Amino acid sequence: MAKKSYTLIVVPDHESPVKRYRVQKSLFLQVGGGLLLLAGLALGATLHYFQVARDAAENRILREENLTLRGQLKSVRERIEHIGSTLDRVERFDQKLRAITLLSDPQRNLAMGPVEQEPGVGSPAAETQFTELASMESPKALSGKLDRLSAEATRQEQSLHELQAYFQDQKSLLASTPSLWPTRGWVTSDFGSRLDPYTADRVMHAGMDIAAPHGKDVFAPSDGTVVFAGLEGGYGNVIVIDHGYGIKTRYGHLAKILVKAGDRVKRGGLIAAVGNTGRSTGPHLHYEVRVNGIPQNPRKFILEE
């Protein structure tokens, strides 16, 4: 069977002869298939280019969103760290407030201070927890830590509500608690056992010695009534204030006494001046707090830093 073919006639201009070309049908099919293949490849390449361009645009958007999220995450971590340190301060203040209320020791008429935990007992310090939280990168981990932070804030809120209710019922007790420094200076001898500066024997020091310039003001740390003002042996000039609830404070070695027995004093009221009277090695204030006649560490009552 003869192969089918096509005749291609080319008619030139003017008087040139007509040219005839015979082309086999199979060649037409091959050329057409090749053109279709090239068109398909061109179309595929075009679609691939647009896909790559779209992916590149999406990747750029994702990078920008990622940078934004990183910035937001850093901001969240900083805020969490700030909240954590704030809660830590609230916790310490809460403990100190409870140290001067019945809430910290229901078996006594007045608590002497916060109960210290045994080593290794209790939860980690809030600062450690929140430092760990601030270093976490995983959003899931951050979410879990935030839940615990929220629970801690709720617990602190409940605790402070308890304290608020208690203080509303115990205003007179709070006003009578010696929570201020009686004078400002340097604590040269704390409460507890010490070597006597005169005999070098180890004896119990029933208060604290606060070194200060001669004549520096001495203030009442809380409301009360002066029950003694005068000379008392080795303590020199002495003032004793009864604050009620079995609490009394004593101020020794005074240069000047500005109150007398029977006077009512208010928290922060001026009562005396620092001196060097009695058995003293230099100008200082000897300050005692006694509850039902028993000496207590004055630091347990002082709320000021």
Side-chain angles (χ1 to χ4, degrees), residues 23-252:
V23 181
Q24 297 294 329
K25 183 180 180 180
S26 59
L27 181 58
F28 266 113
L29 293 176
Q30 290 174 1
V31 171
L35 291 174
L36 288 174
L37 179 61
L38 288 175
L41 290 175
L43 179 60
T46 301
L47 292 176
H48 179 68
Y49 169 78
F50 284 114
Q51 179 66 37
V52 170
R54 185 171 65 250
D55 290 345
E58 290 178 353
N59 287 338
R60 185 173 62 255
I61 293 172
L62 288 174
R63 283 197 301 270
E64 292 173 355
E65 290 180 348
N66 187 43
L67 289 174
T68 302
L69 289 174
R70 283 179 178 273
Q72 292 174 348
L73 185 61
K74 180 180 178 182
S75 176
V76 168
R77 288 200 306 269
E78 290 174 351
R79 291 180 64 186
I80 288 172
E81 190 173 5
H82 175 70
I83 293 171
S85 61
T86 300
L87 277 177
D88 188 39
R89 290 195 301 272
V90 171
E91 173 70 19
R92 290 197 300 269
F93 190 62
D94 180 280
Q95 291 175 357
K96 208 156 193 179
L97 288 177
R98 286 174 179 273
I100 60 169
T101 68
L102 299 175
L103 296 178
S104 62
D105 191 349
Q107 302 302 320
R108 302 160 79 175
N109 288 333
L110 182 72
M112 290 299 103
V115 179
E116 296 182 358
Q117 294 182 337
E118 297 180 3
V121 178
S123 59
E127 185 176 350
T128 302
Q129 296 182 40
F130 298 123
T131 300
E132 176 187 355
L133 173 58
S135 65
M136 300 298 291
E137 292 291 344
S138 168
K140 185 176 181 180
L142 269 178
S143 177
K145 292 288 185 177
L146 280 171
D147 289 341
R148 286 191 283 276
L149 180 60
S150 177
E152 172 66 13
T154 300
R155 187 189 69 79
Q156 288 288 349
E157 183 181 21
Q158 292 173 347
S159 177
L160 291 175
H161 277 313
E162 288 180 9
L163 286 169
Q164 181 185 30
Y166 184 86
F167 289 149
Q168 287 174 347
D169 293 335
Q170 302 291 329
K171 287 182 180 179
S172 59
L173 174 60
L174 183 62
S176 299
T177 302
S179 56
L180 303 181
W181 286 96
T183 192
R184 287 295 185 175
W186 300 267
V187 176
T188 56
S189 183
D190 245 317
F191 177 86
S193 179
R194 70 164 186 176
L195 293 177
D196 187 283
Y198 285 94
T199 65
D201 294 332
R202 185 162 291 280
V203 295
M204 177 63 184
H205 189 224
M208 66 164 60
D209 290 342
I210 306 172
H214 191 278
K216 189 172 181 65
D217 293 340
V218 177
F219 303 97
S222 61
D223 297 353
T225 302
V226 178
V227 294
F228 179 81
L231 285 170
E232 187 181 291
Y235 287 106
N237 292 325
V238 170
I239 293 175
V240 178
I241 300 177
D242 187 345
H243 302 279
Y245 301 95
I247 308 170
K248 290 183 179 180
T249 53
R250 178 185 299 266
Y251 313 80

Side-chain angles (χ1 to χ4, degrees), residues 246-268:
I247 308 170
K248 290 183 179 180
T249 53
R250 178 185 299 266
Y251 313 80
H253 308 301
L254 302 171
K256 186 186 299 183
I257 296 176
L258 304 177
V259 293
K260 62 182 183 299
D263 286 350
R264 285 286 299 169
V265 295
K266 291 292 184 181
R267 183 194 306 271

Side-chain angles (χ1 to χ4, degrees), residues 9-14 16-19:
I9 300 174
V10 179
V11 181
D13 294 334
H14 307 296
S16 299
V18 175
K19 295 181 180 180

